[in-house]
Amino acid sequence: MSPDANPALPAALTLSDVERVLDTHPTAQAWLAAQRGQIIQGRIALARAYAASGRALPNQVVAASLQTHAQPHWTWLDWGRLWLTLRALEAEPAAGQAALVRSVFERGEIGEQESVLRTLGYLPDAARFVAVGVEACRTNATRVFEALVHHNPFPAAVFEPLAFNQMVIKAVFMGVALDGVVGLQVRHNPELLRMAEALASERRAAGREVPADLLRLIQSRTFPGDSK
Amino acid sequence: MKLFDPHIHMTSRTTDDYQAMAAAGIAAIVEPAFWLGQPRTHVGSFEDYFLSLVGWERFRASQFGIRHFCTMGLNPKEANNPNVAPGVMELLPLYLEKSGVVAVGEIGYDDVTPDEERYFAAQIQLAIDAQLPVLIHTPHRDKKRGTERTLALVRESGLAPEMTLVDHNNEETLQAVLDSGCWAGHSIYPKTKMDEPRMVALVQRFGSERMLVNSAADWGVSDPLKVPKTAQAMLDAGISQSDIERICWQNPVAFFAQSKRFDPAELDAELNVDQRNLFEGNSVLRGQTPRTD
């Protein structure tokens, strides 16, 4: 399947979009006012603010009615961290922006990594951050993996087939449910089918159970564009 | 019977494990260089890890009478990180020279990316140049295909099959690995990957030639006593004592002795334990009476 036929990334969120959400909560609003007085520029400033926000913003899900664009499972903390990233990107020359986002991921503790991954697809020209997503797939921390894999438009929109396929197989390995994977049907391909069949064969040869998700992957044999 | 665990990550294990391993008859181990469970962000992190493999970890093992060897290499996962991979390759020619380094490893494929292949091939060449054997990690995902590509790469590179240990085999990969003339390792886990009954079945089918077992015990759910437990399971199943000795001692000794970094005869002697010895002022003891053999 050509990259043009991948599901599209969502529209990028702007600082105004994010502020509109944060302003509806008194604690978030106060935090935002304080942040506006700070200079969020460069890796260290962004990393410190990202970390400190974990103690300042509620890690509770924002009501769906307040979010017009993003995912309904985002927390106030995710929105606040998205704001920090957008601010830091504004202050960063274009050539350094991909490395900036990668560094906040690499230096993140688990909760910070979750925020980076959930919001990644909503950054401006998000496709250029694909390396962060691919690197995140190497995690064995289930929460971090789920932040990338569940209800997240990013992988299906920008991952190459190899990375996408490995992500799906890894989800099966980690017991992470496939029905949360956005764009799985659209991105399903013969190579992923082969990998799923090989894994099922391996499990049977070992006398081990074949996961139901794996069987579903194998059974959905029609690929996008097949009937055309 | 003396036992050898040729693939165990002692960095993540406690002295309780060393004590249990020693009591169960494990006399020698190989700790391969690998990743630490989450990505390293600096080349210096690799260097300090390499130093611990030939320093503190070797000392810890010696305090329990266990001879500790290690491998050095850039693991498949972190070969994908352009911020560290080239720097690690620069460190390897030095660290491969260290005492007790018995192979290049763990190298191989993880996702089977072009970067992984590039560093895999480059490290095979390092091994050929240094005349060291190679310990190869086969991927856990898409394993059969990854193993086929591994064997093809080994063939293309000119690395001798007898200098090649392909690890983490299962029912679907073992035949091809044995047919290629390489050695075949098996990692025995509590639930996943490979267990004792399945290992017994493989030995009954394929024999003991070029077969090894290990625990690959690390920071995850794993058991550093899997080599003695597998030896016991084989005994219970009626596999001959000589086959068991071959798998659990002679094969790993013979494979790693090809490095010429130790004398196999020396491994047969007991390692005297003197827990009064310190490493850089540090002891493994915390108030116990030192054991002196």
Side-chain angles (χ1 to χ4, degrees):
Chain A
M1 170 168 251
S2 75
D4 299 328
N6 286 353
L9 277 168
L13 288 169
T14 65
L15 280 164
S16 310
D17 292 329
V18 179
E19 285 167 4
R20 208 170 300 129
V21 173
L22 291 171
D23 277 334
T24 62
H25 188 302
T27 309
Q29 190 178 45
W31 174 86
L32 191 56
Q35 294 308 309
R36 282 196 183 100
Q38 309 286 340
I39 299 175
I40 317 283
Q41 181 177 6
R43 295 176 185 206
I44 295 180
L46 177 56
R48 287 187 70 174
Y50 220 84
S53 64
R55 285 179 293 283
L57 290 170
N59 198 22
Q60 275 125 42
V61 173
V62 177
S65 54
L66 295 172
Q67 310 185 59
T68 49
H69 303 285
Q71 298 299 323
H73 58 291
W74 285 18
T75 64
W76 297 104
L77 187 49
D78 293 327
W79 282 97
R81 285 171 167 168
L82 176 57
W83 188 89
L84 292 169
T85 307
L86 290 172
R87 271 289 285 258
L89 284 173
E90 260 187 353
E92 185 73 29
Q97 289 181 2
L100 178 70
V101 173
R102 183 163 181 157
S103 88
V104 78
F105 176 76
E106 283 184 343
R107 276 158 189 71
E109 52 86 12
I110 285 187
E112 291 168 45
Q113 290 192 331
E114 290 179 65
S115 296
V116 172
L117 295 176
R118 281 188 204 117
T119 58
L120 199 56
Y122 296 83
L123 297 175
D125 299 315
R128 60 200 166 123
F129 305 117
V130 60
V132 178
V134 174
E135 180 63 26
C137 277
R138 301 208 163 81
T139 188
N140 290 328
T142 317
R143 285 168 45 187
V144 175
F145 189 71
E146 280 173 348
L148 175 73
V149 159
H150 276 175
H151 316 301
N152 191 332
F154 190 74
V158 308
F159 274 23
E160 296 288 327
L162 174 64
F164 187 82
N165 294 347
Q166 286 285 9
M167 183 188 82
V168 173
I169 296 297
K170 182 160 178 166
V172 173
F173 262 76
M174 289 178 74
V176 168
L178 289 184
D179 67 6
V181 178
V182 173
L184 179 54
Q185 267 312 109
V186 178
R187 291 297 309 267
H188 200 356
N189 60 81
E191 183 63 3
L192 178 54
L193 174 63
R194 181 199 63 73
M195 290 167 74
E197 286 173 333
L199 180 55
S201 164
E202 190 181 303
R203 292 286 167 99
R204 283 187 206 109
R208 290 173 64 192
E209 195 194 326
V210 180
D213 264 353
L214 200 55
L215 293 172
R216 271 191 285 274
L217 261 183
I218 293 168
Q219 278 148 17
S220 57
R221 281 170 174 276
T222 54
F223 303 110
D226 264 6
S227 56
K228 301 211 169 94
Chain B
M1 191 192 305
K2 276 187 173 205
L3 300 168
F4 195 130
D5 192 335
H7 187 142
I8 183 166
H9 299 288
M10 293 312 296
T11 299
S12 18
R13 310 303 303 201
T14 67
T15 55
D16 284 359
D17 291 324
Y18 272 123
Q19 264 173 328
M21 288 161 66
I26 295 175
I29 58 179
V30 171
E31 177 164 5
F34 204 53
W35 90 321
L36 289 176
Q38 68 178 51
R40 297 171 175 103
T41 59
H42 293 78
V43 175
S45 307
F46 282 86
E47 183 153 30
D48 290 337
Y49 170 68
F50 290 164
L51 284 165
S52 75
L53 293 179
V54 294
W56 181 239
E57 207 49 52
R58 177 157 304 157
F59 176 73
R60 281 207 318 153
S62 74
Q63 294 305 84
F64 296 91
I66 295 175
R67 274 194 177 78
H68 176 288
F69 302 102
C70 68
T71 73
M72 292 285 177
L74 171 63
N75 64 83
K77 279 190 205 283
E78 294 181 287
N80 290 291
N81 186 347
N83 296 330
V84 298
V88 176
M89 290 301 289
E90 279 175 31
L91 291 177
L92 285 177
L94 163 59
Y95 283 91
L96 288 172
E97 292 294 334
K98 298 289 186 183
S99 162
V101 177
V102 293
V104 172
E106 297 179 58
I107 63 175
Y109 291 115
D110 182 50
D111 278 357
V112 194
T113 66
D115 277 343
E116 288 168 17
E117 182 151 297
R118 194 153 51 91
Y119 286 106
F120 187 8
Q123 291 182 87
I124 289 178
Q125 192 55 51
L126 271 183
I128 292 172
D129 295 343
Q131 297 179 304
L132 285 171
V134 174
L135 170 59
I136 297 180
H137 165 101
T138 55
H140 298 304
R141 278 165 281 116
D142 211 11
K143 178 181 283 288
K144 189 167 178 193
R145 173 83 132 27
T147 305
E148 284 162 7
R149 286 190 62 159
T150 293
L151 294 174
L153 191 67
V154 167
R155 223 169 12 246
E156 279 162 34
S157 69
L159 176 66
E162 62 269 19
M163 292 287 266
T164 310
L165 171 52
V166 179
D167 214 333
H168 311 317
N169 282 289
N170 65 21
E171 289 83 355
E172 310 240 292
T173 62
L174 182 54
Q175 180 82 67
V177 171
L178 289 175
D179 287 347
S180 72
C182 297
W183 301 69
H186 305 81
S187 301
I188 319 296
Y189 277 88
K191 284 185 205 150
T192 59
K193 300 194 181 80
M194 175 62 61
D195 62 25
E196 288 96 313
R198 287 166 56 200
M199 192 65 227
V200 164
L202 286 177
V203 173
Q204 285 167 336
R205 198 168 137 207
F206 291 98
S208 60
E209 191 184 333
R210 283 177 287 123
M211 297 276 274
L212 287 81
V213 299
N214 61 71
S215 67
D218 59 12
W219 20 258
V221 175
S222 46
D223 183 350
L225 297 181
K226 278 308 191 186
V227 171
K229 287 177 181 176
T230 304
Q232 186 64 52
M234 292 193 281
L235 199 64
D236 293 343
I239 291 171
S240 75
Q241 178 95 354
S242 68
D243 276 329
I244 299 172
E245 272 173 16
R246 187 181 306 171
I247 294 170
C248 299
W249 183 258
Q250 285 149 20
N251 283 351
V253 171
F255 177 75
F256 288 109
Q258 297 178 111
S259 66
K260 302 204 187 353
R261 298 296 178 88
F262 67 89
D263 179 359
E266 167 211 316
L267 268 196
D268 285 324
E270 290 298 322
L271 181 66
N272 284 342
V273 175
D274 185 347
Q275 285 186 334
R276 292 168 308 174
N277 284 340
L278 303 180
F279 179 81
E280 303 203 349
N282 288 318
S283 167
V284 293
L285 303 176
R286 295 287 181 267
Q288 297 91 346
T289 307
R291 168 184 157 189
T292 53
D293 286 353

